[in-house]
Amino acid sequence: MKKIGKQTFSIKDNVFIRDTYTIVGKKEGQGPLGNKFHMVVEDDLWGEDSWEKSELKFQKTAVEKLMEANQLKKNQIDLMISGDLLNQITSSSFAARAIQLPYIGVYGACSTMALTMGLGSLLIDGGFAENIICVTSSHFCSAERQYRLPLEMGGQRHMSAQWTVTGSAAVWLSKNGSGGPRIKNVTFGKITDLGVKDANNMGAAMAPAAYDTLNQHIKDTGIDYDLIVTGDLGTVGKGIVNKMFNEDNNSIEKKYDDCGTIIFDIEKQDVHSGGSGCGCSATVFGAFLYRKLLDGDIKKLLFTSTGALHSPTATLQGESIPGIAHSVGIEI
Amino acid sequence: MKKIGKQTFSIKDNVFIRDTYTIVGKKEGQGPLGNKFHMVVEDDLWGEDSWEKSELKFQKTAVEKLMEANQLKKNQIDLMISGDLLNQITSSSFAARAIQLPYIGVYGACSTMALTMGLGSLLIDGGFAENIICVTSSHFCSAERQYRLPLEMGGQRHMSAQWTVTGSAAVWLSKNGSGGPRIKNVTFGKITDLGVKDANNMGAAMAPAAYDTLNQHIKDTGIDYDLIVTGDLGTVGKGIVNKMFNEDNNSIEKKYDDCGTIIFDIEKQDVHSGGSGCGCSATVFGAFLYRKLLDGDIKKLLFTSTGALHSPTATLQGESIPGIAHSVGIEI
């Protein structure tokens, strides 16, 4: 069994992260990572007649550009694994319809990027696939109106609220490669729910799940990572994770950051607690963290996407918001 | 590479389907398979205060009863893979919260049972897991109000409409076993969409996808199956699949059936085109097809769940309904 410790799957063969492609919206383009993204789209509708259609264009284009840049043909790709926030993961389904690859749809809310990469690396290491494309997306406008309130209302945002990233990232995993970042260990999380019911405080809803999976992954592997990144807890959730590790006398503070706080300038961009959405950890990984690995700035990265499995219907029925986090250990 | 033909993954080691547990609602209990289900629940709320909470109880109970019947402890199970129809797959997330196993959430609409079983068998064969629980559910009342109209309206149903099955099935996959049904080949489908926009004719939306995956799986494996079962196309979709194969001069009619037409007595139970929903192919497999394999009635089963990746929002924006089908080849 390729399993270490209680909950972590170990990748025996090499699974290389060969390339990434990221597309973001205007606000993300104005943030600290602005010049690192592969493409910035100024118009949030991107010429489409709805935000939902715009979001699927982000996802479809990210995959197409990734394939184009690497001269990848459809018959070389064994699977596409994707998911997003919209009901019935429509951005993913419609992008998969356009791209015409064998398709596995997943749902993990903002934990999707690590979920697809984890799953993809297991399928490659298991001998089933040579090349897999993992992709996810989110869009501020489509997410706000589905999960919270109509944008047209112009409601005031809570200080604990996060700003859903408009963006998509596609990641190419391959069994073939030489050098370059490799996925080594994968931990799929359990649901953790400490009773948060506030859709404007997703960071607090997800933080206990992030702590649980991080803690388990570190225990299982014993690896001393150069950088541990969650995504996307924002300032509130990041603070809770730090507090939980500190209470264990096991501080990770010095080498820990969160994609929700990396993607925006929190002070200047009026995003309150930071970024969120499937596209947040996805684009931060694809444009920034992956580059740090390639450049040798870091050698061991623990990439952990976190998801608030929030359903407006369940919340109206009095339910709290279940959190989940999936970890992918990457080394170069 | 454990891949045969263009799109099919071949399972080299044994992946046994060790057991199943099925729970259905009253109407399903009155159908032709009534005495084959493990549990029939008469009250569609099952003591809960919403249909959504009732559905998650179906899913949670199916897993718990499956574990109980096989004296399976949590630490023996490596993963739970599940999905359902409700927005943000809430039945699955909340069931996973209660069950506390490492959790992968998938979305494939009514194709979910084959998707989870296919994925689970690859992860076991890849050496990552010893035991995996696959589960899905649907509920007539929660699905109708989410996808179509409020039940309280008492609207007349179209003759091409299908009746969402109230039910859940959990399936235990294991690398350990002796004899018994084994998963041998898995084909994940591509999206097929011929432009159907009518949420009351899901069978027609899914049939081309079913044909595409079935055809590819049969070409890739060359296996002469004793029984080919799709789920859940209903009478309309089943007719289209037969027509498509007949036009190829490759009729499968004599050994082909559909879970949507098996679960209900279509004439007497007023279900129009037949059953549907993630729970349809799941409970028909768990209670009926699995038993046929165990009893030796059939030796080679091609189980193909079909999904209409329908989103009410996308439909209101003028989009058609993408279809997908995943095939799992099982032998004893």
Side-chain angles (χ1 to χ4, degrees):
Chain A
M1 285 267 292
K2 299 170 190 169
K3 202 169 166 183
I4 50 175
K6 266 175 76 175
Q7 206 173 321
T8 300
F9 299 111
S10 140
I11 309 291
K12 295 292 173 209
D13 289 332
N14 284 323
V15 174
F16 295 95
I17 307 175
R18 289 290 298 274
D19 201 7
T20 66
Y21 197 93
T22 54
I23 311 177
V24 296
K26 186 176 175 181
K27 192 179 183 87
E28 293 71 21
Q30 291 167 341
L33 305 184
N35 61 356
K36 295 187 165 63
F37 298 113
H38 300 78
M39 192 192 292
V40 178
V41 176
E42 296 289 319
D43 165 23
D44 60 21
L45 280 168
W46 203 353
E48 298 292 318
D49 58 11
S50 77
W51 293 313
E52 289 75 15
K53 290 185 186 175
S54 169
E55 182 179 334
L56 94 85
K57 190 171 175 179
F58 271 81
Q59 196 175 127
K60 174 177 160 285
T61 311
V63 176
E64 285 170 350
K65 291 282 178 187
L66 178 69
M67 288 170 66
E68 210 176 288
N70 293 284
Q71 295 173 298
L72 269 172
K73 296 204 181 72
K74 274 179 197 174
N75 61 13
Q76 295 175 286
I77 302 165
D78 303 289
L79 274 173
M80 168 168 159
I81 309 177
S82 56
D84 60 84
L85 289 176
L86 296 185
N87 286 342
Q88 291 82 42
I89 57 167
T90 41
S91 310
S92 304
S93 304
F94 285 107
R97 180 178 73 177
I99 291 158
Q100 285 292 307
L101 288 170
Y103 163 61
I104 292 178
V106 296
Y107 183 78
C110 309
S111 73
T112 303
M113 194 74 249
L115 176 57
T116 61
M117 285 167 63
L119 207 47
S121 56
L122 264 54
L123 295 181
I124 290 175
D125 188 67
F128 296 102
E130 216 160 308
N131 297 295
I132 291 181
I133 287 184
C134 300
V135 59
T136 184
S137 62
S138 55
H139 194 300
F140 175 73
C141 305
S142 61
E144 277 304 301
R145 72 166 159 191
Q146 178 179 288
Y147 284 104
R148 292 174 198 93
L149 294 164
L151 284 178
E152 293 82 349
M153 225 183 83
Q156 197 176 354
R157 295 166 49 77
H158 296 238
M159 286 312 289
S160 59
Q162 290 169 252
W163 189 280
T164 303
V165 163
T166 299
S168 174
V171 173
W172 171 26
L173 303 183
S174 179
K175 64 174 276 198
N176 308 310
S178 57
R182 274 159 289 181
I183 298 182
K184 300 299 286 176
N185 293 289
V186 176
T187 310
F188 296 113
K190 296 176 187 171
I191 304 269
T192 308
D193 184 342
L194 299 189
V196 174
K197 293 185 178 187
D198 181 0
N200 295 298
N201 194 356
M202 295 293 201
M206 293 186 280
Y211 166 79
D212 188 66
T213 305
L214 285 175
N215 201 30
Q216 191 64 53
H217 183 95
I218 294 167
K219 262 191 200 161
D220 285 348
T221 63
I223 295 171
D224 184 18
Y225 285 98
D226 302 328
L227 182 62
I228 297 171
V229 177
T230 52
D232 31 44
L233 300 176
T235 51
V236 175
K238 184 180 165 183
I240 296 173
V241 166
N242 269 324
K243 198 167 172 228
M244 290 177 88
F245 275 102
N246 288 344
E247 280 174 4
D248 279 353
N249 287 319
N250 183 24
S251 174
I252 57 167
E253 223 155 323
K254 282 186 184 157
K255 51 185 181 182
Y256 168 56
D257 211 340
D258 180 77
C259 296
T261 65
I262 297 173
I263 194 163
F264 292 122
D265 184 322
I266 290 186
E267 300 284 306
K268 290 189 192 141
Q269 289 191 283
D270 193 31
V271 291
H272 299 353
S273 181
S276 71
C278 303
C280 180
S281 66
T283 58
V284 171
F285 176 78
F288 177 60
L289 301 170
Y290 180 65
R291 180 58 50 195
K292 275 176 100 68
L293 284 159
L294 280 183
D295 292 347
D297 289 353
I298 48 169
K299 294 222 160 79
K300 292 179 184 180
L301 167 71
L302 183 53
F303 175 63
T304 301
S305 301
T306 51
L309 304 174
H310 166 53
S311 148
T313 305
T315 301
L316 288 172
Q317 293 180 4
E319 265 298 349
S320 51
I321 302 171
I324 197 159
H326 303 297
S327 278
V328 177
I330 305 166
E331 300 184 13
I332 187 156
Chain B
M1 286 265 291
K2 299 172 190 167
K3 201 169 170 186
I4 50 175
K6 268 175 74 173
Q7 205 173 323
T8 299
F9 300 112
S10 139
I11 309 289
K12 294 292 173 210
D13 290 332
N14 284 322
V15 174
F16 295 95
I17 307 175
R18 288 290 299 273
D19 201 7
T20 66
Y21 197 92
T22 55
I23 311 178
V24 295
K26 186 176 175 182
K27 192 180 182 84
E28 292 71 21
Q30 290 166 342
L33 306 185
N35 61 358
K36 294 186 167 62
F37 299 113
H38 299 79
M39 193 192 290
V40 177
V41 176
E42 297 289 319
D43 165 24
D44 59 22
L45 279 170
W46 202 353
E48 299 293 318
D49 57 13
S50 77
W51 292 315
E52 289 75 15
K53 290 186 186 174
S54 168
E55 183 180 332
L56 94 84
K57 189 171 176 181
F58 271 81
Q59 196 174 126
K60 175 176 161 283
T61 309
V63 175
E64 286 171 349
K65 290 282 179 187
L66 178 69
M67 288 172 66
E68 207 177 287
N70 293 284
Q71 294 173 300
L72 270 172
K73 295 202 182 73
K74 275 181 196 174
N75 61 12
Q76 295 175 286
I77 302 165
D78 302 290
L79 274 172
M80 169 167 157
I81 308 177
S82 56
D84 59 85
L85 290 176
L86 296 186
N87 286 341
Q88 291 82 40
I89 57 166
T90 40
S91 310
S92 303
S93 303
F94 285 107
R97 180 178 74 177
I99 290 157
Q100 284 294 306
L101 288 170
Y103 163 60
I104 293 177
V106 297
Y107 183 78
C110 309
S111 72
T112 304
M113 194 74 249
L115 176 57
T116 61
M117 285 167 62
L119 207 47
S121 56
L122 264 54
L123 296 180
I124 290 175
D125 188 65
F128 296 102
E130 216 159 309
N131 297 294
I132 291 181
I133 288 184
C134 300
V135 59
T136 184
S137 62
S138 55
H139 193 300
F140 175 74
C141 306
S142 61
E144 277 304 301
R145 72 166 158 192
Q146 177 179 290
Y147 285 102
R148 292 176 197 90
L149 295 164
L151 284 179
E152 293 82 349
M153 227 183 81
Q156 197 175 354
R157 294 166 49 77
H158 295 236
M159 287 313 289
S160 59
Q162 290 171 250
W163 189 280
T164 303
V165 163
T166 299
S168 173
V171 173
W172 171 26
L173 303 183
S174 179
K175 65 174 277 198
N176 308 310
S178 56
R182 274 159 291 180
I183 298 182
K184 300 299 284 176
N185 293 289
V186 176
T187 310
F188 295 113
K190 295 176 188 169
I191 304 271
T192 308
D193 184 341
L194 300 189
V196 174
K197 293 186 180 188
D198 181 0
N200 296 299
N201 194 357
M202 296 292 202
M206 294 186 278
Y211 166 79
D212 189 66
T213 305
L214 285 175
N215 200 30
Q216 192 62 54
H217 182 96
I218 294 166
K219 264 191 197 159
D220 286 348
T221 62
I223 294 171
D224 184 19
Y225 285 99
D226 301 328
L227 182 62
I228 297 172
V229 177
T230 53
D232 32 44
L233 300 175
T235 51
V236 175
K238 183 180 165 183
I240 297 172
V241 166
N242 269 323
K243 199 168 171 229
M244 290 178 89
F245 274 100
N246 288 344
E247 280 174 2
D248 280 352
N249 288 318
N250 183 23
S251 173
I252 58 167
E253 222 155 323
K254 282 185 185 158
K255 51 185 180 181
Y256 167 55
D257 211 339
D258 180 77
C259 296
T261 64
I262 296 172
I263 195 164
F264 292 122
D265 185 323
I266 290 185
E267 300 284 307
K268 291 191 192 141
Q269 289 191 282
D270 193 30
V271 290
H272 300 353
S273 182
S276 71
C278 303
C280 180
S281 66
T283 58
V284 171
F285 175 79
F288 177 60
L289 300 170
Y290 180 65
R291 179 59 51 193
K292 274 175 101 69
L293 284 159
L294 281 183
D295 292 348
D297 288 354
I298 49 170
K299 294 222 160 79
K300 292 178 184 181
L301 167 71
L302 182 53
F303 175 63
T304 301
S305 300
T306 53
L309 304 174
H310 166 52
S311 147
T313 305
T315 300
L316 287 171
Q317 293 182 3
E319 267 298 349
S320 52
I321 302 170
I324 196 158
H326 303 295
S327 278
V328 177
I330 305 166
E331 300 184 12
I332 187 158

